[in-house]
């Protein structure tokens, strides 16, 4: 028996479910489903739906089905089915043995349609698509169909022959007989079956008629005995039809539909049609390009699944659509990585430093903590020798006020190593700085500093002898426009792709040990950002993606 004093109460969906539990509408069952159409990869919007569908089931110790909503024969692909499963598992959810295809119910749906005809609640309509549109009516005029009152026998015969493939696409439809004058146009005798001579990726050529979404979806839910069918707001006006179908078909469960707001994020697009165009037209390198809002892209980018779950929890579940700043998602990624990611050093734009006081042909191994937040992660050894590279921007010949890093004659600490002083700036014939000559204080070694010196700045470095070249892929927003869906006439969303969404510094260097990092494990490169090794890495060409920079512009 459920404890009614201890029910979740985070949002309106909880309120509805709690009422149903108290009234015993579904006994003590809570059963949801996530119903993706396998025509693309899952994106961050789907993550919200997954969080709501699977998360709600979890909250109530209920069940959540995974169902491929494949009633539409076009554009579906096994690649997508596999990717969808992988992404949901990665996010941390599991459907157990409850994996379904809507197309498995085609025969049962057909039977429901026949039973509606027999009850006088559906009829075959032979209006052409154009006539259909002309006769839809408007708010002050009802729709019209001359076929509405044809005999049941005639509709049964025509529907059977539709199934047999006797008619062309568009020749006729099966319509539910509801209310031609309804102010809700979804109820004006909606089409529930149409003819479509197209091969289906699972049922092949068995069918040439396919159920419409509004008819199929409630049946799928009811067949699976889903109690609460959680979907996005655009289906709100379809709910009366959902209920009508459940009411009038012989189904084992009276599932109910509850709508919540769709998630939008700035500077990206979320429609699968648009995402597919980005892939097919080569604007990105695939569905898992780290700039894509897909879960596969975010995983490759190095976003932890927990960050995405936290993001979904943070944006909440409400009834009005909203667009969330991309920076809010990045904030969640940073929060998650701040403690979990080990530290390392890399240099994006190297400036050579020769430590003239340090013996030639000599190297030291210096201990460096892997993660100051998690001492149990231990230390690694960094090699240090006479030549190191620092970040070019960490040196200023004519320092601006407040600059705390290296300047001519000034001192700075090399992280985990020594305090160095800049003695000489070496330039080429054009006046460009090519290297710095510095000297170190041998008594200033980190952890055993007896120099008594106080320096203001600490900077990162890599050892010239051992550092490895690295391809650092620095990602930025994919679109320059906050809402790329909103374009003027003659413009396309692709016109707003950010030309600098990927930049790669030419001479970046990485501390040696990171060459052996595992793909997908994020690191914090000190003072630079979070990075993760990419699957494109090869012997001799190590690739790291920037997950996110260190600083945020987003304020809570
Ligand atoms: P598209 O129209 O781009 O193809 P879709 O919404 O039709 O996307 P589906 O595969 O049908 O994609 O979606 C599966 C589930 O995910 C649906 O329940 C849908 O409501 C939900 N969903 C899709 N996009 C979002 C979003 N941006 N925010 C919240 N839920 C979403
Ligand atoms: Mg859909």
């Amino acid at each position: 028996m459920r404890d009614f004093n201890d029910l979740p109460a985070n949002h309106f969906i909880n309120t509805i479910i709690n009422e149903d539990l108290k009234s015993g509408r579904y006994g003590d069952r809570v059963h949801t489903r996530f119903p993706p159409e396998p025509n693309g990869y899952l994106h961050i919007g789907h993550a919200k739906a997954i969080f709501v569908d699977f998360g709600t089931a979890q909250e109530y110790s209920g069940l959540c089905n995974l169902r491929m909503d494949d009633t539409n024969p076009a554009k579906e692909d096994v690649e997508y089915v596999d990717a969808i499963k992988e992404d949901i598992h990665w996010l941390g959810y599991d459907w157990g043995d409850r994996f379904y295809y809507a197309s498995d119910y085609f025969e049962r749906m057909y039977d429901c349609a026949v039973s509606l005809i027999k009850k006088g609640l559906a009829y075959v309509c032979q209006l052409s698509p154009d006539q259909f549109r002309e006769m839809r009516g408007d708010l002050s005029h009802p729709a019209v169909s001359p076929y509405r009152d044809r005999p049941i026998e005639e509709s049964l015969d025509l529907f059977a022959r539709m199934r047999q493939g006797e008619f062309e696409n568009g020749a006729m439809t099966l319509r539910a007989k509801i209310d031609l004058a309804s102010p809700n146009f979804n109820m004006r005798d909606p089409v529930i079956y149409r003819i479509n001579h197209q091969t289906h990726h699972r049922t092949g050529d068995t069918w040439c008629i396919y159920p419409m979404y509004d008819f199929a979806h409630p049946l799928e839910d009811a067949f699976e005995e889903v109690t609460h069918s959680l979907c996005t707001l655009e289906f709100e006006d379809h709910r009366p039809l959902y209920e009508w179908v459940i009411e009038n078909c012989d189904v084992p469960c009276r599932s109910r539909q509850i709508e919540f707001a769709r998630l939008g994020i700035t500077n990206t697009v979320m429609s699968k049609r648009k995402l597919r165009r980005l892939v097919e037209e080569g604007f990105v390198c695939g569905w898992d390009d780290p700039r894509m809002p897909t879960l596969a892209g975010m995983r490759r980018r190095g976003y932890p699944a927990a960050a995405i779950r936290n993001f979904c929890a943070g944006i909440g579940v409400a009834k009005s659509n909203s667009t969330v700043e991309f920076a809010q998602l990045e904030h969640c990624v940073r929060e998650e990585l701040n403690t979990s990611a080990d530290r390392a050093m890399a240099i994006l734009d190297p400036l050579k430093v020769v430590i003239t006081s340090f013996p030639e042909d000599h190297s030291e191994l210096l201990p460096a903590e892997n993660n100051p937040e998690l001492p149990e992660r231990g230390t690694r050894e960094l090699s240090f020798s006479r030549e190191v590279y620092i970040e070019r921007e960490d040196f200023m010949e004519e320092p601006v006020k407040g600059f705390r890093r290296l300047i001519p004659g000034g001192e700075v600490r090399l992280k985990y190593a020594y305090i160095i002083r800049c003695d000489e700036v070496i330039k080429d014939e054009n006046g460009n700085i090519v290297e710095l000559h510095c000297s170190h204080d041998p008594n200033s070694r980190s952890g055993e500093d007896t120099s008594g010196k106080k320096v203001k700045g600490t900077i990162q470095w890599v050892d010239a002898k051992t550092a490895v070249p690295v391809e650092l892929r620095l990602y930025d927003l994919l679109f320059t426009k906050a809402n790329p869906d909103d374009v003027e006439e003659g413009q396309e969303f692709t016109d707003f792709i950010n030309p600098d969404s990927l930049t790669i510094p030419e001479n970046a260097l990485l501390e040696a040990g990171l060459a052996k990092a595992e793909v997908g494990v994020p690191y914090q490169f000190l003072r630079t950002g979070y990075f993760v090794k990419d699957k494109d890495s090869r012997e001799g060409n190590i690739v790291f993606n920037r997950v996110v920079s260190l600083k945020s512009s987003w304020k809570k």
Side-chain angles (χ1 to χ4, degrees):
M1 195 57 205
R2 223 175 255 278
D3 177 5
F4 291 141
N5 297 317
D6 204 19
L7 294 172
N10 299 318
H11 44 67
F12 73 98
I13 296 179
N14 287 148
T15 310
I16 295 173
I17 295 179
N18 295 351
E19 278 164 13
D20 288 345
L21 286 170
K22 287 175 190 161
S23 73
R25 179 173 169 148
Y26 302 104
D28 67 353
R29 286 193 320 119
V30 175
H31 199 148
T32 61
R33 87 287 170 262
F34 175 64
E37 193 177 345
N39 61 352
Y41 279 59
L42 298 181
H43 52 58
I44 183 75
H46 292 118
K48 176 178 179 183
I50 292 168
F51 179 81
V52 174
D53 295 334
F54 282 94
T56 300
Q58 264 177 7
E59 279 178 328
Y60 290 94
S61 308
L63 299 171
C64 182
N65 296 356
L66 173 59
R67 180 200 311 146
M68 295 298 136
D69 209 338
D70 62 347
T71 53
N72 183 352
K75 304 171 301 207
E76 285 157 357
D77 201 312
V78 190
E79 177 199 346
Y80 298 137
V81 174
D82 294 340
I84 287 168
K85 287 177 161 180
E86 188 184 350
D87 288 345
I88 297 173
H89 274 153
W90 174 72
L91 257 193
Y93 298 102
D94 188 47
W95 51 90
D97 57 359
R98 292 173 312 282
F99 174 70
Y100 303 103
Y101 286 98
S103 56
D104 285 344
Y105 307 132
F106 280 163
E107 195 66 50
R108 246 174 123 180
M109 291 173 181
Y110 180 83
D111 291 343
C112 287
V114 169
S115 78
L116 286 179
I117 302 175
K118 286 184 178 160
K119 290 185 204 168
L121 291 176
Y123 60 95
V124 170
C125 176
Q126 281 163 272
L127 291 177
S128 70
D130 282 343
Q131 289 170 323
F132 190 98
R133 258 189 302 280
E134 277 160 34
M135 297 192 181
R136 279 181 86 215
D138 54 33
L139 280 178
S140 41
H141 300 90
V144 177
S145 170
Y147 303 98
R148 190 169 211 254
D149 294 315
R150 79 187 330 161
I152 288 173
E153 287 311 317
E154 211 173 280
S155 282
L156 282 173
D157 173 61
L158 285 170
F159 190 50
R161 287 160 61 196
M162 276 168 68
R163 176 179 183 170
Q164 295 313 314
E166 257 187 60
F167 310 112
E168 298 289 294
N169 290 355
M172 54 190 75
T173 56
L174 184 70
R175 293 176 73 171
K177 195 172 181 174
I178 306 178
D179 179 4
L180 287 177
S182 174
N184 181 345
F185 280 56
N186 296 308
M187 299 298 272
R188 290 193 170 187
D189 288 12
V191 172
I192 58 174
Y193 263 90
R194 72 200 155 115
I195 302 172
N196 188 358
H197 290 271
Q198 201 175 343
T199 306
H200 186 280
H201 81 125
R202 294 192 73 243
T203 57
D205 293 317
T206 308
W207 294 90
C208 63
I209 56 171
Y210 291 95
M212 301 301 286
Y213 182 90
D214 282 343
F215 179 63
H217 205 84
L219 292 179
E220 294 155 19
D221 288 339
F223 293 160
E224 292 173 14
E225 304 196 31
V226 163
T227 57
H228 299 88
S229 177
L230 313 176
C231 66
T232 35
L233 223 50
E234 70 272 21
F235 293 106
E236 196 166 22
D237 291 343
H238 299 242
R239 191 186 335 128
L241 180 50
Y242 182 100
E243 288 168 355
W244 185 92
V245 172
I246 299 256
E247 190 85 14
N248 290 293
C249 294
D250 182 21
V251 290
C253 177
R254 296 187 58 184
S255 316
R256 73 183 286 185
Q257 173 179 305
I258 304 169
E259 310 85 15
F260 62 89
R262 194 170 259 274
L263 166 67
I265 296 203
T266 55
N267 301 88
T268 191
V269 293
M270 220 98 96
S271 134
K272 280 184 276 187
R273 190 179 53 80
K274 288 181 179 165
L275 295 175
R276 193 176 314 113
R277 277 194 54 192
L278 293 175
V279 174
E280 286 171 359
E281 295 172 26
F283 290 107
V284 295
C285 71
W287 284 98
D288 69 346
D289 186 298
R291 290 165 292 179
M292 290 281 272
T294 54
L295 296 182
M298 291 181 174
R299 175 164 67 243
R300 183 168 170 195
R301 172 95 172 243
Y303 286 13
I308 295 178
R309 289 195 301 270
N310 292 341
F311 171 73
C312 291
I315 55 177
V317 182
K319 267 277 188 192
S320 61
N321 284 325
S322 64
T323 302
V324 178
E325 297 277 328
F326 198 87
Q328 191 172 339
L329 175 58
E330 293 192 318
H331 170 80
C332 293
V333 172
R334 264 185 217 106
E335 291 248 293
E336 191 61 33
L337 293 180
N338 180 34
T339 39
S340 67
D342 281 353
R343 276 40 170 180
M345 292 198 285
I347 301 295
L348 272 58
D349 183 12
L351 173 61
K352 188 187 243 184
V353 170
V354 180
I355 301 160
T356 52
S357 53
F358 200 84
E360 281 180 63
D361 305 322
H362 176 67
S363 285
E364 279 180 21
L365 289 176
L366 305 172
E369 55 200 342
N370 285 326
N371 191 330
E373 313 260 343
L374 302 171
E376 67 272 23
R377 293 273 177 87
T379 55
R380 64 194 187 284
E381 285 187 322
L382 297 174
S383 72
F384 182 82
S385 52
R386 185 181 159 88
E387 292 184 359
V388 301
Y389 288 98
I390 64 169
E391 205 64 75
R392 192 167 280 274
E393 64 174 27
D394 282 340
F395 174 76
M396 266 188 128
E397 195 172 19
E398 290 164 33
V400 294
K401 200 164 170 275
F403 187 78
R404 291 164 188 276
R405 292 163 274 167
L406 195 56
I407 59 173
E411 289 185 319
V412 77
R413 173 173 293 283
L414 297 178
K415 182 78 178 170
Y416 307 122
Y418 295 94
I419 293 173
I420 58 167
R421 186 185 64 231
C422 175
D423 303 319
E424 198 180 347
V425 180
I426 312 294
K427 297 183 180 175
D428 65 12
E429 60 273 22
N430 301 319
N432 297 317
I433 301 171
V434 289
E435 61 184 49
L436 305 178
H437 287 180
C438 297
S439 47
H440 79 303
D441 182 337
N443 296 322
S444 67
R445 191 170 145 155
S446 271
E448 45 197 64
D449 184 350
T450 55
S451 71
K453 286 186 167 142
K454 292 263 175 291
V455 293
K456 292 231 173 70
T458 300
I459 63 174
Q460 72 272 31
W461 54 275
V462 293
D463 179 18
K465 259 190 203 158
T466 58
V468 289
V470 62
E471 179 180 328
L472 294 182
R473 297 180 178 169
L474 308 181
Y475 297 108
D476 203 343
L477 297 170
L478 185 51
F479 290 91
T480 51
K481 198 177 189 316
N483 180 4
D485 291 318
D486 171 32
V487 299
E488 311 262 300
E489 216 178 302
Q491 292 178 331
E492 282 237 68
F493 75 103
T494 50
D495 297 343
F496 298 96
I497 288 181
N498 178 4
D500 299 321
S501 61
L502 169 60
T503 51
I504 301 175
E506 271 170 31
N507 304 308
L509 292 168
L510 188 60
E511 73 173 66
L514 270 259
K516 294 197 179 65
E518 238 177 276
V519 171
V521 177
Y523 286 86
Q524 184 191 114
F525 290 178
L526 288 182
R527 300 179 61 230
T528 304
Y530 294 97
F531 286 79
V532 72
K533 197 187 211 178
D534 190 80
K535 64 175 186 180
D536 282 349
S537 296
R538 297 283 172 273
E539 188 80 41
N541 183 40
I542 301 159
V543 181
F544 272 77
N545 300 320
R546 183 168 67 194
V547 186
V548 66
S549 59
L550 285 181
K551 284 199 195 73
S552 152
S553 50
W554 186 69
K555 299 275 174 296
K556 240 187 180 170

